[in-house]
Amino acid sequence: MPEFRQNMVSKEWVIIATERAKRPDQFLQKKEEKGPLPPLREDCPFCPGNESKTPPSLYSIERNGTWSLRVVPNKFAALQSHLTTQRKHEGRFLKADGFGIAEVVIETPYHNRTIATMDMEEVRHTVRAYKERYLALADTGKVDLITIFRNYGERAGTSLEHPHSQIIATPIVPPHVRNPLYQSQLACDTFGDCIYCGMMEEERRQQVRIVEETPFFLVLCPFASRSPFETRIYPKTHRSSFASVSDQELMEFAQVLQRTLKRLYIGLNDPDYNYIIRSAPIEDSDVKYHHWYLVIVPKLTTPAGFEIGTGIYINTPLPEQCAEFLRGISV
Ligand SMILES: [Zn+2]
Ligand SMILES: [Zn+2]
């Protein structure tokens, strides 16, 4: 029996179409054999030796006398940092200069690694860089929203093989981000507390969608997952902004992030994915109603006419099955 499920924050619906159900292991990726990647590629702008092909580092971490991580401005960014943030009205139309700050986090000097296969120190450096750059960008006073994300693989929108993530700071909080904030604020007015904290309490009671629980984090496949194996990492301590994570949480976050990506890497044969850190806009960085989290969306299906037309996503495997499958993978 197909079932509608509603995302308790955004109020968006999904259809869990169990008739069409595939078992979780049917999502195993059949990657065409390209052979293993080399640890270093001479034509890669992010590999050691090619530092002159990127702008100078904004932030870096050294290890054994050489760089282990670099953050550089994104040369190919859609937005530029020298423009104004002013809105301009043209009759009924609204526009603004394409102001924004875009940075690339080059996570390791090794061309052939990814978060799932890096050494733990590299993953720690990566999440440390996320926080440091978040704080620095928030400090510019020019931006309202900072989005940290990682596109992995061609289906996720990147052709650059070298391990990297991106940070984009914009002077705009778009409806896609604002609407769930409105909803969570209304829920907070009604129930008096954070809807995400309440959701986690329910997930811990039901247990069926939990992949892993650690002292500081809860990893789960959401009740209303929009696509197969959508997985989220929620901090158990209420904080609306990623910028306010403690050092202790950040170190555990690195471990939990790697283990979760390893489960996908092993269980589904290295699927392409996007992950995004959803943090409150700067002005809402200390509110009761938003709770930061990281969402991983493996690229296993393609939204089609129904999804684009209705905004209702059809998802086939039960999130409960996906969570069980991921729990069963030893990492
Ligand atoms: Zn490279
Ligand atoms: Zn909360």
Side-chain angles (χ1 to χ4, degrees), residues 194 196-197 238 291:
C194 165
Y196 295 92
C197 287
H238 178 84
H291 195 116

Side-chain angles (χ1 to χ4, degrees), residues 3-217:
E3 183 175 73
F4 274 114
R5 290 190 183 188
Q6 190 182 38
N7 178 311
M8 65 194 288
V9 181
S10 70
K11 306 296 178 201
E12 285 172 320
W13 291 94
V14 301
I15 299 170
I16 309 286
T18 44
E19 267 69 64
R20 302 191 186 176
K22 288 183 177 178
R23 289 193 316 275
D25 58 9
Q26 289 176 305
F27 287 98
L28 201 78
Q29 298 298 286
K30 293 177 202 75
K31 292 211 159 182
E32 72 257 41
E33 262 327 312
K34 283 187 209 150
L37 293 173
L40 186 98
R41 269 187 77 143
E42 269 176 33
D43 59 349
C44 169
F46 294 166
C47 269
N50 291 339
E51 288 79 2
S52 63
K53 291 186 182 162
T54 58
S57 302
L58 299 159
Y59 173 89
S60 66
I61 297 178
E62 307 278 314
R63 191 167 65 164
N64 309 325
T66 168
W67 65 265
S68 170
L69 173 145
R70 299 173 68 216
V71 180
V72 297
N74 186 346
K75 270 210 302 202
F76 304 102
L79 301 170
Q80 294 174 4
S81 57
H82 66 275
L83 303 171
T84 73
T85 60
Q86 224 175 353
R87 271 35 166 199
K88 294 169 192 166
H89 294 267
E90 254 177 27
R92 295 264 179 154
F93 297 121
L94 172 63
K95 62 181 189 176
D97 286 350
F99 167 84
I101 306 172
E103 300 182 354
V104 181
V105 181
I106 305 168
E107 299 153 351
T108 164
Y110 297 98
H111 190 88
N112 58 348
R113 291 187 179 177
T114 182
I115 304 254
T117 59
M118 284 176 193
D119 64 54
M120 185 38 64
E121 208 181 352
E122 289 173 314
V123 189
R124 286 201 195 104
H125 289 166
T126 301
V127 299
R128 161 79 52 207
Y130 289 170
K131 183 178 171 183
E132 294 300 329
R133 292 314 298 161
Y134 191 106
L135 291 171
L137 289 167
D139 255 0
T140 62
K142 286 180 171 172
V143 299
D144 289 318
L145 183 70
I146 298 170
T147 307
I148 300 168
F149 60 96
R150 188 170 204 271
N151 300 335
Y152 175 69
E154 275 180 37
R155 291 187 75 180
T158 183
S159 48
L160 241 169
E161 286 167 351
H162 198 105
H164 69 286
S165 342
Q166 297 185 57
I167 306 176
I168 295 230
T170 61
I172 282 167
V173 180
H176 178 70
V177 173
R178 185 63 84 193
N179 290 343
L181 284 165
Y182 280 141
Q183 296 294 346
S184 59
Q185 196 172 16
L186 288 177
C188 194
D189 288 343
T190 307
F191 298 104
D193 57 12
C194 165
I195 192 165
Y196 295 92
C197 287
M199 177 272 296
M200 275 190 273
E201 211 177 285
E202 184 60 30
E203 289 292 6
R204 291 170 80 193
R205 200 181 63 76
Q206 295 192 15
Q207 285 292 324
V208 288
R209 284 172 295 275
I210 293 180
V211 176
E212 181 181 7
E213 181 169 359
T214 66
F216 289 119
F217 292 92

Side-chain angles (χ1 to χ4, degrees), residues 237-305:
T237 307
H238 178 84
R239 300 181 197 283
S240 51
S241 175
F242 173 71
S244 50
V245 287
S246 69
D247 279 355
Q248 228 186 341
E249 281 174 297
L250 201 60
M251 293 305 99
E252 195 179 287
F253 180 55
Q255 291 175 340
V256 171
L257 177 62
Q258 182 176 55
R259 273 204 297 275
T260 307
L261 292 170
K262 233 183 214 173
R263 287 179 206 274
L264 292 165
Y265 185 89
I266 298 168
L268 300 177
N269 190 25
D270 193 17
D272 294 353
Y273 63 80
N274 304 106
Y275 75 56
I276 300 114
I277 294 180
R278 288 235 168 275
S279 184
I282 312 287
E283 63 187 5
D284 303 311
S285 61
D286 190 19
V287 293
K288 206 170 154 187
Y289 55 84
H290 185 72
H291 195 116
W292 80 268
Y293 61 91
L294 178 136
V295 52
I296 305 166
V297 184
K299 304 307 271 191
L300 304 168
T301 51
T302 308

Side-chain angles (χ1 to χ4, degrees), residues 228-242:
F229 290 93
E230 177 182 338
T231 307
R232 297 187 181 198
I233 302 175
Y234 285 97
K236 285 155 73 174
T237 307
H238 178 84
R239 300 181 197 283
S240 51
S241 175
F242 173 71

